[in-house]
Amino acid sequence: MDRFSVDEVSRHCTVDDAWVIAGGLVYDVSTFLDAHPGGITITREYLGKDISSVISTNQIHKHSDNALEILEHYRIGCIGCGRVEVEKVAVKKYQENDPIDWSKPLLAQLHKLGDHYLPWVYKPVTFKHRLFQSEFVEMCSKGPWWMVPLVWIPFTCYMCYLALTGAPSYLPWVTTAPAVTLAKLLTLIPVGVLIWSLIEYLLHRFIFHLNLFMSSPAWITFHFILHGQHHKAPFDRDRLVFPVVPAGIIMLLIYTTGGFILPINIMRGSFAGGILGYIGYDMIHYYLHHGSPSKGSYFAALKAYHVAHHYINHHKGYGISSKLWDFVFSTVIESRDINSAD
């Protein structure tokens, strides 16, 4: 274990070279700052300093036991401590104590967790993971943030075009319907956005956080693919937005089903709004994890709210792009929990 002086640590005080002291131990958090749940801005004034009082009290915000374990991943040494003392406080890295081998694809191993799955999945880690053995399937399971607007904005425009022109549908059970006017389309789009916000809430609450059958290996695997991996590895940039391939399958199912319910061009217009809502949701979600909104702004409050969902209360705060439906269905996270997480 390397030993450092306080003066030496103080020289590592930039976002690209960031060391801190906590409890006499030294941590290099340079690679973690961008993923810090509170945002990079809140950390700047503490770089190169002793943060012991910050993490042991609610001086800035509450730090959970998980946060302290994550900090251990970045330990590089100590301040003037002897070898014996260091060994007494040393904590093995997370991977060494985990029943899952993180060097191998995870999905084939999850069955061994059984009833321990939920405590395990809600204990976040900072490193990336692999799901599938197949390179192609693994590639399809990831999604860089820019793929969402790149793919779905043109598709949204195409839906608007179809609605305005009344082009024939590929759905065999759909009859030709009159095209919508531009004024009507501009009404349908915000309706679609609102519908998406409700779908977002319902999916997050009743599907993504459905904790039934958690002894079933099949259900554990399904839950982890769908949402569990995000709570386990919330800092993984490649698994934060929904991958395009599975998203496309879900979009096709929704569009096909909607053809039974609404006149086709009404469906197209509202579906365009729904896709815009989805794009906004994924972009906001990514920003809440990796952005640093200005203090006091709407997105700063939303970031604190989402951080509270991840680290304080998994059973509330299901709204991502807004808190609207949390208010409607009484699942708003209490303000004291939000304040302790922001």
Side-chain angles (χ1 to χ4, degrees):
M1 179 69 69
D2 293 330
R3 283 184 278 182
F4 304 96
S5 67
V6 173
D7 181 64
E8 186 175 2
V9 172
S10 69
R11 293 196 290 270
H12 299 269
C13 57
T14 67
V15 294
D16 297 319
D17 181 21
W19 291 13
V20 294
I21 303 168
L25 301 174
V26 179
Y27 302 87
D28 182 351
V29 295
S30 307
T31 59
F32 178 68
L33 293 183
D34 188 50
H36 183 268
I40 194 171
T41 302
I42 200 173
T43 66
R44 290 180 187 273
E45 66 178 284
Y46 300 100
L47 304 183
K49 300 178 181 179
D50 191 325
I51 61 169
S52 300
S53 62
V54 175
I55 63 175
S56 63
T57 67
N58 291 346
Q59 179 178 332
I60 301 299
H61 57 246
K62 182 179 179 180
H63 287 85
S64 65
D65 291 340
N66 287 334
L68 301 181
E69 289 191 20
I70 287 173
L71 182 62
E72 279 301 319
H73 300 165
Y74 300 92
R75 174 141 57 98
I76 59 172
C78 60
I79 297 292
C81 52
R83 180 73 182 180
V84 174
E85 181 183 351
V86 171
E87 289 179 346
K88 285 182 179 179
V89 299
V91 179
K92 290 184 178 180
K93 291 188 182 297
Y94 181 89
Q95 298 97 318
E96 297 174 358
N97 295 322
D98 197 296
I100 299 298
D101 184 349
W102 286 77
S103 66
K104 300 177 181 178
L106 266 59
L107 290 189
Q109 306 179 64
L110 295 175
H111 66 278
K112 68 178 72 173
L113 294 172
D115 293 334
H116 300 289
Y117 170 72
L118 281 181
W120 176 85
V121 84
Y122 287 132
K123 192 173 185 178
V125 297
T126 60
F127 36 88
K128 295 185 177 183
H129 60 281
R130 184 184 181 93
L131 291 180
F132 301 96
Q133 188 67 45
S134 165
E135 293 291 346
F136 176 75
V137 178
E138 178 70 8
M139 178 187 68
C140 292
S141 72
K142 296 181 179 181
W145 71 266
W146 48 265
M147 284 293 291
V148 175
L150 182 68
V151 171
W152 296 115
I153 287 179
F155 188 78
T156 301
C157 295
Y158 180 60
M159 283 291 106
C160 292
Y161 166 78
L162 293 179
L164 290 170
T165 59
S169 171
Y170 73 90
L171 301 175
W173 57 83
V174 173
T175 58
T176 303
V180 300
T181 63
L182 179 59
K184 193 166 189 176
L185 178 63
L186 294 177
T187 302
L188 291 171
I189 287 176
V191 170
V193 172
L194 182 63
I195 292 173
W196 164 256
S197 69
L198 177 59
I199 292 174
E200 168 196 321
Y201 175 89
L202 295 176
L203 284 174
H204 195 184
R205 179 178 180 180
F206 295 109
I207 303 298
F208 295 175
H209 282 273
L210 180 63
N211 295 334
L212 300 177
F213 320 118
M214 281 307 173
S215 294
S216 164
W219 183 259
I220 287 175
T221 302
F222 175 74
H223 180 271
F224 191 75
I225 292 174
L226 197 63
H227 192 60
Q229 61 173 318
H230 175 55
H231 274 269
K232 187 63 182 175
F235 312 108
D236 191 338
R237 291 174 177 268
D238 292 332
R239 299 191 186 277
L240 193 52
V241 301
F242 211 68
V244 170
V245 173
I249 295 172
I250 294 174
M251 296 283 191
L252 180 62
L253 291 174
I254 294 174
Y255 182 76
T256 303
T257 303
F260 283 105
I261 302 171
L262 297 172
I264 186 59
N265 292 314
I266 299 295
M267 172 60 190
R268 287 165 169 168
S270 56
F271 192 65
I275 298 174
L276 280 179
Y278 162 70
I279 295 170
Y281 151 77
D282 251 350
M283 295 299 93
I284 289 172
H285 190 199
Y286 189 90
Y287 182 66
L288 295 184
H289 277 272
H290 293 286
S292 295
S294 302
K295 188 174 182 179
S297 67
Y298 170 77
F299 285 111
L302 204 58
K303 181 182 180 74
Y305 189 73
H306 190 56
V307 167
H309 168 73
H310 268 274
Y311 301 99
I312 306 297
N313 191 341
H314 306 122
H315 307 295
K316 289 187 176 181
Y318 298 107
I320 306 297
S321 53
S322 81
K323 306 175 189 177
L324 171 63
W325 299 107
D326 279 321
F327 283 110
V328 172
F329 295 110
S330 301
T331 54
V332 178
I333 298 177
E334 296 180 13
S335 58
R336 58 183 173 83
D337 287 336
I338 299 172
N339 291 335
S340 69
D342 68 5

